[in-house]
Amino acid sequence: MTGLLSGRTALVTGSSRGIGRAIGQRLAAEGATVVVTARSHQPTSSVRGGVAAALPGTIGETVSLIEAAGGRAIAVAADLENALQREQLITEVLDRTGRLDILVNNAGFADYSMVEHMSLQTFDRTIDHY
């Protein structure tokens, strides 16, 4: 890669799997130190069609993949629906890396049900998720 992001720090929310993980890997491949975050260090449960199930992927796995490719990553668990944890996340990133240059707001919440069958509370949580 180009090393275009060498010396930069990136924070990628929702990076335990999927698009967030891929974004973190790419930023690291370009030289950034990547702080990966999700609600927990453990696999988390998600409701799909009214059924709760643990989803694969953890921020620790994302860090391992980045480090195995020669990059630098740090895992920090934070529930972004909690205002205090959002603030603490930024503080921890700055304490551990000294800077924050790139923010990718990838985290989200979804119940994976048809909107017409979704409760108003679930709909609001999906739309309002930080």
Side-chain angles (χ1 to χ4, degrees):
M1 297 296 155
T2 65
L4 180 65
L5 300 176
S6 292
R8 306 275 191 229
T9 297
L11 169 60
V12 182
T13 67
S15 49
S16 61
R17 62 186 148 269
I19 294 169
R21 176 178 281 178
I23 292 168
Q25 289 175 295
R26 180 58 190 215
L27 291 168
E30 292 295 340
T33 295
V34 181
V35 179
V36 297
T37 189
R39 280 175 264 168
S40 169
H41 286 280
Q42 304 301 319
T44 57
S45 181
S46 180
V47 178
R48 295 178 182 219
V51 177
L55 296 176
T58 67
I59 52 179
E61 291 170 5
T62 301
V63 168
S64 294
L65 289 168
I66 289 170
E67 289 177 343
R72 181 168 184 252
I74 301 166
V76 179
D79 182 347
L80 300 181
E81 292 184 83
N82 180 307
L84 180 59
Q85 288 189 37
R86 285 193 307 268
E87 290 176 26
Q88 289 173 336
L89 172 62
I90 300 303
T91 299
E92 186 163 351
V93 170
L94 294 172
D95 286 349
R96 293 181 72 176
T97 68
R99 61 187 305 150
L100 178 55
D101 304 290
I102 302 163
L103 172 62
V104 179
N105 284 317
N106 175 70
F109 169 83
D111 187 343
Y112 299 102
S113 63
M114 300 296 291
V115 172
E116 60 265 22
H117 302 292
M118 191 180 290
S119 71
L120 184 57
Q121 178 186 12
T122 299
F123 180 82
D124 287 344
R125 184 176 177 203
T126 302
I127 299 301
D128 291 340
H129 198 281
Y130 291 88

